[in-house]
Amino acid sequence: MNFPRTFPRKKKPFLIIGSLFVALVYSIRLNAVPRESYVNFDRETSGFMLVASGQAVSIYTDKSDYAGVMRAAGDLAKDVQRVSGLLPDSNSDSIKSASRTAVIVGTLGHNQLIDQLVRSGKLHTEDLRGKWEAFATETISNPFPGLDEALIIVGSDKRGTIYGVYDLSEQIGVSPWYWWADVPTTHHDSISVRRGRYLSKEPVVKYRGIFLNDEAPALSGWAAEKFGGFNHEFYAHVFELILRLKGNYLWPAMWGSAFNDDDKLNPVLADEYGIVMGTSHHEPLMRAHDEWRRFGKGPWDYNTNAETLRKFWRGGLERVRAYESIVSIGMRGDGDEAMSEDTNISLLERIVADQREIIGEVTGKKPAEVPQLWALYKEVQKYYEGGMRVPDDVTLLWCDDNWGNIRRLPTPNEKRRLGGAGVYYHVDYVGGPRNYKWLNTVPISKIWEQLHLAWQYEANRIWILNVGDLKPMEFPIEFFLAYAWDPSAWPYEKIGEFTKKWAAREFGGRHSDDIASIVEGYTKLNGRRKPEQLTPTTYSLINYNEAERVLTEWSNLVVRAERIYEEIPESYRPAFFELVLYPVKASANLQSLYCAAGRNQLYTKQGRPDANLAADEVRKAFREDAELAEAYHSLKNGKWNHMMSQVKLGYTTWQQPELETMPAVSEVRPRAGAAMGVALEGSEAVSPSYAVKQPVLPPLNDLTKNSVWLEVFNRGTEPFEFSIVSNQPWIRLSQSRGTVGRTARVTVSADWAAVPAGNSWATLEVARKGAEKIQVRLPVQARDDSVPDGFAGFVECNEDIAIEAHHYSNAVSGRSARWEALPGFGRNNGAVTVFPVTAEEVKPGLDTPRLEYNIYTFSSGDVDLELDCAPSLDFQGGGGLRLAISIDDEAPRIIALNTSETNRTWEKAVSDGVQKVYSRHRIERPGSHVIKLWMVTPGVVVQRLILDFGGVRPSYLGPPESPRFGAGRGRVAAGPRG
């Protein structure tokens, strides 16, 4: 076999890793999801060969370079072995003259080989000097005597080089999640790099990291079993993951743990790896909260115990003064609580001044030269709004509301602050209205929408994500850090592409589109309402077939995920189970459990023995939940034991219960003999009953061609025969007679070609043979011919019109802003918002941005209009987020979101995933009308519009979208309405 020219025939080539890292082509790679590949696996290639013909190039570093760079170079060698089976030589000695090719890894100014190439003019680094965490990857011919070619990975600084190394690792097929999610690598005998130069951008957000929080019992139990606690062996895996994802910042686990005290090697290792350490929003001067319990004396009260606190803080800072840190300043109450009510701003400002004095004394630097943050978390933001200020060099860390809605962002004046601003964001939380810790419940569409605001409003100094136990949040962690690196690379229309590329990297291209759809799907469904907040009555069992539709959505995801699991290679199954199959199946099972509990409650109330079957379903689902967790814990010989031990069942308050509790179920004892009952869609009451004089079904409507249902059930122990007869020949029944042992569901529809125009009624007589008869009324609406030809828009059906906000009829842009669609956002399938998000507030009218929705009504008079909006907050601290609404030619009326008007308002909005706002209008006549949605402030995200003439029935998600006509007789969309 002929060897490539760049490979020696007798000795292994050497791979040198230099300081300038394998730069992405104009930001080729965004955190582990490449936009363009510079690696090739063909045997015959003109590229620089890393592996070919059974040989791997050696990797060179320099002893004068950072320890973290040399360590990362060692990881690259291991990664090459993971892919090819060959372990490259790696060393920090001079290049052996016999070698013909090499990979050189090094940092500008810290690597003699790199600096020699720069001095010789063979390596140009003008575009790297002085940059923050930038890197380049470049092939160079004849770099040194005896070397034909070298692949250079050079960084502007330590982390730049490390990112370059890990970028190449990912390009050759090693996922950043190879250890944390067991993602396997695909074997290749040949690996080459396209010749050329690949340059990365600087990251947009300077400090990008995660917060391990609320970590018991899952992460803490796992870490204790596998590592003996949160020690340096545990954190080595965390540090490596963060760097592979191009992050640089960590708030460590802190409940009962103390990073700097539990293991003295923790901070040493963090510095070696290149991780910037911090402490959480309520842990000043690098002291963990638990250290006050260990070493503190007296009360956590600066009024009465200031000297002790100052000594405590000084000791915390002295331990880490040699390491790269961001120092949290300020003070909250002990245990992440608010300070006492008598705390005043002058005291807090004195605390900060004293802390700054300690910082200067301990570090020997001016305090302004030491990175610091002040987290404006919960009540601390009120102090700021009340006039409290910190020095200009301190970063203001604005926070979300713990539910993914950013509370404040910099105003024009605040953007001028030297310390800049950042964001503390959550995908995990312990607190009201309820903990959410179990699985990923925040879609990346939501994360994108809020972080896009942060980017555009220049809160770009620090982004930190509360990730709870880390393990269940793999996907949002990656998106968060990728978006922090370069938000411009991922406009909203490309976030679906991000998910597909992530899926392709983890599981290969064959199923990537389907896997991406499943991940997006389960996150959206969980985002409708957190699993911890589900109850037996969350989804309606009687209106709009809501519970059945939700369970069908989950069932479809499970079927698709199980099919892929069976089709993928065995080596991928552990990763697929962790990242896709478990969250889908466990979430679907939980939904099924609560819906079955709801049926049990309803059937018990209705006196139906089917309540017993529903109770059995609840018990089965409760057992399956435990079995799925055990399957997770048994993966990879128990590698992830404890990781799915988080409690999610049995909540009665905001805090998790001690043990998981199955929802209470009831059992019903049937009567002796046979006894007929009839239950109708749209009603919890049943017949015969003293409460129901005339049972009525929801309407049939020719616009939707819908069907409705009734159930004939048996209250007794003996089966009976039943029959159903209609007084109208055009009524169609799925079953007109039969024998009922337990329940028979009968679907009722119409032969629309025979139904008379207008409104009419049908009567159904339900009879048990030789016994009771029940008359059921059924309204029928045949209105298709009433809609004029040429009408394009939504048509009233059942006295309401429901519209997905991104299905507008017309969009009118303003001079400097416009409404745009966000497909896939929110509880259903899309939303609209204003771009640019930095647009000035406008008074609605004339040429200001608006959306128009053409509607056709059969009703007239007073009507309520409901807007379902994202529960966004007033992030500029002004007059609040507002929009305006009008129908036809009426003046726009301004509506405020007021999500946080009261705590109860906020709790309902974030729990439901929507803030509902209302206005009342009057429609004088049936016919064509136009609803107009006007911009007032940016930041408002509208998901749905519901016009209610009195027909909207109770449900969680609201009525399905109304029938929508094109500019002719054809319908372009119609949701199933029952």
Side-chain angles (χ1 to χ4, degrees):
M1 177 181 290
N2 292 327
F3 285 86
R5 184 182 66 85
T6 54
F7 272 75
R9 294 174 181 268
K10 294 183 179 180
K11 291 193 176 184
K12 286 186 180 180
F14 293 87
L15 178 78
I16 304 181
I17 300 186
S19 73
L20 243 239
F21 138 90
V22 66
L24 342 152
V25 181
Y26 29 104
S27 185
I28 242 178
R29 148 151 324 224
L30 248 269
N31 277 40
V33 177
R35 287 164 43 185
E36 182 179 340
S37 174
Y38 52 81
V39 166
N40 194 295
F41 300 108
D42 294 337
R43 290 179 180 273
E44 301 298 330
T45 178
S46 60
F48 177 90
M49 301 303 300
L50 294 176
V51 175
S53 303
Q55 292 183 316
V57 177
S58 294
I59 300 172
Y60 274 89
T61 54
D62 187 330
K63 290 179 181 178
S64 63
D65 212 326
Y66 296 99
V69 169
M70 291 187 282
R71 191 204 55 75
D75 281 352
L76 177 60
K78 296 173 188 174
D79 291 342
V80 171
Q81 184 181 37
R82 288 184 177 100
V83 176
S84 68
L86 301 172
L87 179 66
D89 290 337
S90 58
N91 60 65
S92 56
D93 298 325
S94 60
I95 298 174
K96 297 177 182 178
S97 59
S99 64
R100 303 286 297 279
T101 62
V103 174
I104 303 174
V105 175
T107 310
L108 278 177
H110 293 268
N111 184 294
Q112 295 181 25
L113 295 171
I114 293 296
D115 293 346
Q116 185 177 340
L117 288 172
V118 173
R119 287 193 299 270
S120 68
K122 293 182 178 181
L123 180 64
H124 298 282
T125 57
E126 294 83 0
D127 50 4
L128 284 175
R129 292 191 181 278
K131 296 295 179 68
W132 177 263
E133 299 179 343
F135 57 87
T137 299
E138 182 173 358
T139 53
I140 296 179
S141 299
N142 304 310
F144 298 107
L147 267 187
D148 291 338
E149 190 175 24
L151 176 68
I152 309 297
I153 299 176
V154 54
S156 62
D157 53 25
K158 174 170 66 174
R159 279 188 294 274
T161 309
I162 293 169
Y163 294 153
V165 171
Y166 285 138
D167 193 76
L168 180 57
S169 288
E170 189 183 345
Q171 287 272 347
I172 69 175
V174 178
S175 168
W177 299 97
Y178 80 94
W179 191 86
W180 278 98
D182 302 307
V183 178
T185 57
T186 300
H187 179 84
H188 296 285
D189 290 328
S190 298
I191 308 172
S192 67
V193 175
R194 284 204 318 264
R195 290 187 172 89
R197 187 169 193 265
Y198 305 96
L199 176 69
S200 79
K201 294 179 178 180
E202 288 183 289
V204 170
V205 178
K206 187 171 185 178
Y207 297 105
R208 311 163 304 282
I210 61 173
F211 178 21
L212 303 179
N213 192 218
D214 314 323
E215 60 270 20
L219 185 65
S220 60
W222 173 78
E225 177 181 305
K226 304 303 179 184
F227 301 101
F230 293 119
N231 55 28
H232 72 279
E233 294 180 356
F234 162 80
Y235 277 112
H237 292 288
V238 177
F239 298 156
E240 181 187 333
L241 174 69
I242 292 172
L243 292 171
R244 284 182 182 265
L245 293 172
K246 295 191 178 68
N248 59 11
Y249 184 40
L250 176 67
W251 288 357
M254 49 76 61
W255 287 110
S257 304
F259 179 83
N260 295 306
D261 189 57
D262 290 340
D263 184 343
K264 305 304 183 184
L265 291 178
N266 279 346
V268 175
L269 198 67
D271 188 66
E272 177 183 318
Y273 270 75
I275 297 297
V276 182
M277 290 304 301
T279 47
S280 73
H281 55 89
H282 67 103
E283 298 176 304
L285 272 65
M286 305 304 293
R287 277 289 197 182
H289 167 256
D290 200 60
E291 291 186 79
W292 183 250
R293 178 185 62 80
R294 302 177 189 185
F295 309 119
K297 295 179 181 180
W300 180 267
D301 186 333
Y302 208 74
N303 271 318
T304 63
N305 202 20
E307 183 57 35
T308 302
L309 283 162
R310 284 194 294 268
K311 184 178 179 181
F312 175 73
W313 291 332
R314 181 183 296 272
L317 201 56
E318 286 174 341
R319 293 178 306 193
V320 298
R321 60 183 156 194
Y323 307 137
E324 194 175 3
S325 307
I326 302 176
V327 181
S328 296
I329 63 171
M331 188 174 182
R332 293 192 79 216
D334 190 16
D336 197 14
E337 298 291 339
M339 298 279 270
S340 62
E341 291 186 6
D342 59 355
T343 302
N344 57 55
I345 288 175
S346 62
L347 172 63
L348 291 168
E349 289 179 337
R350 179 161 67 90
I351 290 171
V352 169
D354 290 352
Q355 290 172 341
R356 300 260 294 178
E357 183 178 347
I358 294 170
I359 290 170
E361 292 172 353
V362 171
T363 65
K365 300 178 181 179
K366 295 179 181 179
E369 296 173 356
V370 179
Q372 298 155 62
L373 67 81
W374 183 36
L376 302 172
Y377 185 73
K378 289 190 175 179
E379 81 288 344
V380 182
Q381 182 176 320
K382 294 180 181 178
Y383 304 151
Y384 179 84
E385 291 168 346
M388 180 179 172
R389 293 294 180 265
V390 295
D392 195 60
D393 58 89
V394 176
T395 301
L396 298 182
L397 189 69
W398 299 103
C399 306
D400 69 353
D401 61 354
N402 304 304
W403 287 71
N405 307 290
I406 296 175
R407 299 171 69 199
R408 269 276 267 109
L409 289 169
T411 63
N413 286 335
E414 290 163 349
K415 291 177 184 177
R416 301 188 185 101
R417 296 185 73 263
L418 182 63
V423 171
Y424 170 34
Y425 200 78
H426 289 72
V427 291
D428 168 283
Y429 179 58
V430 168
R434 186 156 292 179
N435 297 354
Y436 62 96
K437 300 175 57 179
W438 176 41
L439 289 174
N440 178 23
T441 62
V442 185
I444 64 170
S445 56
K446 172 70 174 182
I447 297 173
W448 184 96
E449 184 266 330
Q450 288 291 294
L451 294 185
H452 179 74
L453 290 173
W455 171 42
Q456 291 295 298
Y457 281 84
E458 301 179 23
N460 299 330
R461 186 64 56 87
I462 301 169
W463 283 8
I464 185 82
L465 182 69
N466 189 320
V467 302
D469 299 311
L470 188 152
K471 190 71 182 84
M473 305 300 175
E474 298 95 339
F475 183 60
I477 288 172
E478 180 149 352
F479 180 76
F480 180 89
L481 293 176
Y483 196 72
W485 182 275
D486 185 6
S488 67
W490 299 108
Y492 189 84
E493 60 270 20
K494 285 191 175 182
I495 59 175
E497 178 184 334
F498 180 93
T499 311
K500 291 176 183 178
K501 288 188 173 183
W502 173 85
R505 187 197 63 201
E506 309 301 59
F507 306 109
R510 179 184 172 193
H511 297 292
S512 59
D513 286 5
D514 206 17
I515 292 172
S517 173
I518 292 169
V519 170
E520 290 171 348
Y522 97 75
T523 311
K524 169 184 278 291
L525 295 183
N526 272 342
R528 284 174 172 170
R529 193 168 190 87
K530 310 292 188 188
E532 292 87 345
Q533 291 186 300
L534 291 173
T535 71
T537 58
T538 296
Y539 294 110
S540 177
L541 294 164
I542 59 172
N543 289 321
Y544 307 119
N545 295 320
E546 184 175 66
E548 293 177 12
R549 288 189 290 117
V550 168
L551 289 179
T552 297
E553 289 178 292
W554 278 111
S555 176
N556 289 339
L557 290 177
V558 169
V559 169
R560 292 163 60 197
E562 287 182 329
R563 175 182 55 78
I564 293 171
Y565 182 78
E566 293 301 321
E567 293 179 0
I568 60 175
E570 180 112 14
S571 61
Y572 284 91
R573 288 181 180 175
F576 188 81
F577 188 87
E578 295 165 40
L579 297 171
V580 183
L581 188 60
Y582 174 81
V584 169
K585 290 191 71 170
S587 298
N589 181 68
L590 199 70
Q591 298 274 349
S592 178
L593 180 151
Y594 277 110
C595 285
R599 288 194 302 277
N600 174 263
Q601 290 182 7
L602 176 63
Y603 294 167
T604 299
K605 180 180 178 181
Q606 293 175 334
R608 298 172 61 170
D610 278 356
N612 303 338
L613 293 178
D616 290 342
E617 288 183 48
V618 174
R619 297 185 185 101
K620 179 182 177 182
F622 189 68
R623 290 193 301 271
E624 185 169 344
D625 176 76
E627 291 165 2
L628 285 166
E630 180 54 34
Y632 195 112
H633 293 156
S634 66
L635 287 171
K636 308 288 285 187
N637 296 317
K639 179 179 178 180
W640 301 115
N641 191 33
H642 299 290
M643 268 299 192
M644 284 303 122
S645 59
Q646 176 56 51
V647 172
K648 68 277 187 188
L649 280 155
Y651 277 81
T652 56
T653 66
W654 67 267
Q655 182 60 285
Q656 68 189 44
E658 290 298 320
L659 297 172
E660 299 217 292
T661 306
M662 189 186 80
V665 294
S666 302
E667 295 203 4
V668 174
R669 183 170 296 157
R671 298 176 187 172
M676 184 180 75
V678 176
L680 306 182
E681 178 179 348
S683 175
E684 291 188 355
V686 295
S687 297
S689 167
Y690 293 113
V692 181
K693 293 190 174 70
Q694 179 61 73
V696 180
L697 282 162
L700 295 178
N701 192 296
D702 67 335
L703 295 170
T704 57
K705 302 295 190 289
N706 67 311
S707 62
V708 294
W709 55 261
L710 61 83
E711 291 176 333
V712 182
F713 63 88
N714 189 357
R715 285 181 164 136
T717 58
E718 299 294 330
F720 64 83
E721 294 181 21
F722 78 96
S723 63
I724 304 178
V725 177
S726 171
N727 68 337
Q728 301 291 358
W730 32 262
I731 289 295
R732 297 290 179 261
L733 303 172
S734 62
Q735 183 179 359
S736 61
R737 63 182 61 252
T739 301
V740 175
R742 290 184 178 274
T743 295
R745 174 173 280 202
V746 178
T747 301
V748 185
S749 58
D751 175 6
W752 291 106
V755 176
N759 296 333
S760 56
W761 289 83
T763 300
L764 306 177
E765 184 179 84
V766 185
R768 176 164 72 99
K769 185 175 182 181
E772 61 265 43
K773 297 179 180 179
I774 297 172
Q775 302 286 327
V776 177
R777 297 275 283 163
L778 172 64
V780 182
Q781 301 167 351
R783 293 170 166 174
D784 191 299
D785 291 340
S786 302
V787 181
D789 288 337
F791 172 77
F794 292 90
V795 181
E796 178 190 344
C797 181
N798 301 350
E799 298 182 79
D800 68 65
I801 299 177
I803 305 172
E804 301 298 327
H806 62 298
H807 290 161
Y808 47 81
S809 304
N810 186 38
V812 178
S813 297
R815 286 191 292 268
S816 58
R818 66 207 177 276
W819 287 95
E820 285 190 12
L822 300 177
F825 186 95
R827 302 201 310 181
N828 293 299
N829 60 17
V832 294
T833 194
V834 169
F835 287 101
V837 294
T838 54
E840 296 289 333
E841 178 180 329
V842 298
K843 181 180 180 180
L846 297 177
D847 59 351
T848 61
R850 71 179 183 274
L851 297 175
E852 297 178 345
Y853 300 85
N854 297 336
I855 62 171
Y856 191 91
T857 71
F858 301 104
S859 303
S860 60
D862 292 336
V863 61
D864 292 317
L865 179 60
E866 173 188 315
L867 299 179
D868 290 355
C869 303
S872 306
L873 303 174
D874 179 17
F875 58 86
Q876 284 292 274
L881 299 184
R882 284 157 289 147
L883 73 165
I885 199 81
S886 65
I887 297 180
D888 296 332
D889 296 326
E890 68 179 351
R893 41 181 94 166
I894 295 177
I895 302 173
L897 260 63
N898 289 337
T899 300
S900 57
E901 182 176 21
T902 67
N903 191 60
R904 174 177 255 180
T905 302
W906 171 80
E907 285 192 343
K908 178 167 176 51
V910 297
S911 298
D912 292 347
V914 292
Q915 167 67 345
K916 297 182 178 182
V917 294
Y918 301 88
S919 62
R920 173 157 282 203
H921 304 262
R922 184 166 184 81
I923 291 179
E924 296 293 347
R925 53 168 181 78
S928 298
H929 302 277
V930 180
I931 301 175
K932 298 172 185 176
L933 192 66
W934 302 82
M935 172 197 169
V936 176
T937 65
V940 177
V941 183
V942 185
Q943 300 182 34
R944 304 193 88 209
L945 300 83
I946 302 174
L947 203 65
D948 183 12
F949 288 98
V952 174
R953 290 177 270 148
S955 67
Y956 184 71
L957 297 173
E961 189 169 39
S962 297
R964 182 183 179 193
F965 280 68
R969 301 310 303 152
R971 298 170 184 80
V972 296
R977 296 167 68 91

